[in-house]
Amino acid sequence: MNKTLDDVNVAGQRVLLRADLNVPLRDGKVTDATRLERLLPTIRELSDKGAKVIVLSHFDRPEGKVVPELSLKPIADSLGRILGKPVAFAASCVGPEAENAVASLNNGDVLVLENTRFHAGEEKNDPAFAAALAKLGDIFVNDAFSAAHRAHASTEGVARHMPSFAGRLMQAELHALEKALGNPQRPVAAIVAGSKVSTKLELLNNLVTKVDILVIGGAMANTFLAAQGHNVGRSLQEADLHGTALEIIKTAAAKGCEIFLPLDVVVAEKFEADAPTHVVKIDAIPPGAMALDVGPATVDAFISRLPEIKTIIWNGPLGAFETKPFDASTNTLAQAIAQATKDGKVISVGGGGDTVSALKLAGVHHDLTYLSSAGGAFLEWMEGKVLPGVEVLSKGFSNLG
Ligand code: ADP
Ligand code: MG
């Protein structure tokens, strides 16, 4: 297990805190502060305990060059407002500017350093750049689970230089993932949907070996249905992956994982808002139609299974949820899972960029046991991969070399 803030005395220490300040920004204003809000417990705890809090983060993709529009300054200001106390800013994350800003901190102060990706050494995990970062702190705390799938200087390299700990957000994320898939209460059902099998191949392959029921929805279900010989009309599907889909079904059978495919789908001739729709059984998709959502009988059938399920993992919207009415099944299922969670009957963990948007639109994003704010890192963890930024925390810093 990783060490946490319970294992260290931070009073008077310079704490390098890797955070994920990569929030949506429009005209210099933060449009969704969820990621900042989730950091508050760690920042407040460190500050209250008398640490000098030095926040490191990337922002967007400046590709190793200084791009003024991608400065973290407006985000540091926004963080200060949410935190309710001044947040200092240094216009570079290494060198004299950063060192002077750190030197002028009092215990409890918070400082944000400029975008780590303004330096090419960040994404290359350059040891010299990691050492320059490490010079600024006494201990390292990583609260950026969402960046932990990348071995960059500020997520991995720097941790080799000093005692390193998981922050509260990182800790919560790892705890939730462990409850969902590492050591879950069974039976476990995974809902995997979205647009493409190809982007979720490793996810499907890992989950069939670990979960008891795998529900496949979204356009990726079309690929499975077509592979089984159903005519899916003009639906989005990947014809070159039929063999792969059949293999996944075979592996699932061998591992005792039940594959739950749609029984019916919502079809339309046109993919546009409020297009006329029909519900058809999967063996009756008209040749000119597109399946844009799973059907109500499918959702009902899965909801009727909820009482037997103890843990649910959800990645991927069941339909083309951005366009009404193809959000209907996602909404119905989201509400049923939220209710079962509130009733204490199931542990539910969701994640993925579009999944989070869809669950927000369904109004249930506060009602799951845990909704991961990490996209890629959540998926890689679910794929069974080791995340370098997590791995390095448990290895400790004796492996400097
Ligand atoms: P996440 O970002 O949560 O991992 P994905 O990116 O895999 O999810 O999938 C989300 C996308 O899948 C959405 O843009 C949604 O419109 C699309 N999608 C889901 N079902 C269908 C469908 N039947 N036809 C076309 N697109 C679909
Ligand atoms: Mg997506």
Side-chain angles (χ1 to χ4, degrees), residues 194-195 199-200 315-317 321-322 352-355 379:
S195 52
T199 60
K200 306 246 167 118
N315 169 255
F321 75 99
E322 300 94 333
D354 292 297
T355 310
L379 283 176

Side-chain angles (χ1 to χ4, degrees), residues 49-346:
K49 286 179 170 171
K52 295 166 178 159
V53 187
I54 304 150
V55 183
L56 284 176
S57 177
H58 73 285
F59 180 61
D60 213 321
R61 297 175 186 276
E63 301 191 336
K65 292 186 294 283
V66 176
V67 178
E69 301 77 61
L70 300 183
S71 171
L72 278 174
K73 177 75 170 78
I75 299 168
D77 293 341
S78 179
L79 179 64
R81 277 192 294 277
I82 297 175
L83 191 61
K85 67 183 267 168
V87 166
F89 183 74
S92 175
C93 64
V94 287
E97 210 157 0
E99 285 159 24
N100 292 337
V102 169
S104 64
L105 291 176
N106 292 312
N107 290 353
D109 284 354
V110 181
L111 165 70
V112 171
L113 303 179
E114 185 56 287
N115 197 344
T116 52
R117 288 192 187 164
F118 281 0
H119 303 263
E122 163 71 334
E123 294 188 61
K124 289 192 189 125
N125 200 3
D126 171 31
F129 180 67
L133 290 173
K135 218 174 137 185
L136 302 171
D138 304 306
I139 66 169
F140 178 63
V141 173
N142 193 343
D143 224 10
F145 175 83
S146 48
H149 56 313
R150 300 187 173 114
H152 291 173
S154 70
T155 60
E156 203 271 352
V158 70
R160 295 167 175 264
H161 289 267
M162 58 183 95
S164 301
F165 304 86
R168 296 304 183 196
L169 178 56
M170 170 78 89
Q171 190 184 343
E173 187 96 31
L174 291 172
H175 180 71
L177 294 178
E178 193 59 25
K179 275 213 305 205
L181 192 62
N183 185 22
Q185 286 186 42
R186 292 184 180 274
V188 188
I191 302 157
V192 180
S195 52
K196 288 182 173 176
V197 173
S198 53
T199 60
K200 306 246 167 118
L201 212 48
E202 289 176 89
L203 179 67
L204 292 167
N205 280 326
N206 188 43
L207 289 177
V208 288
T209 68
K210 302 226 167 101
V211 305
D212 305 295
I213 306 173
L214 178 62
V215 180
I216 298 174
M220 56 196 287
N222 299 334
T223 303
F224 280 81
L225 294 174
Q228 290 184 323
H230 296 288
N231 190 331
V232 298
R234 295 194 298 118
S235 305
L236 179 61
Q237 66 130 339
E238 291 167 290
D240 53 329
L241 288 180
H242 289 178
T244 307
L246 294 177
E247 258 167 53
I248 291 170
I249 292 172
K250 219 167 106 188
T251 310
K255 297 279 181 184
C257 168
E258 175 190 343
I259 299 269
F260 189 105
L261 282 165
L263 311 168
D264 60 344
V265 288
V266 178
V267 297
E269 300 278 331
K270 285 196 189 127
F271 182 15
E272 58 186 36
D274 303 317
T277 61
H278 304 278
V279 173
V280 296
K281 294 235 161 61
I282 50 162
D283 53 9
I285 300 175
M290 286 172 278
L292 291 163
D293 196 7
V294 307
T298 305
V299 178
D300 286 350
F302 182 66
I303 289 175
S304 74
R305 302 280 302 272
L306 278 181
E308 79 189 65
I309 295 165
K310 292 272 180 4
T311 304
I312 296 178
I313 298 164
W314 191 353
N315 169 255
L318 296 183
F321 75 99
E322 300 94 333
T323 311
K324 278 180 193 303
F326 308 111
D327 57 343
S329 291
T330 302
N331 291 343
T332 308
L333 183 61
Q335 271 134 24
I337 292 176
Q339 193 57 51
T341 307
K342 284 193 274 191
D343 293 344
K345 293 186 174 138
V346 70

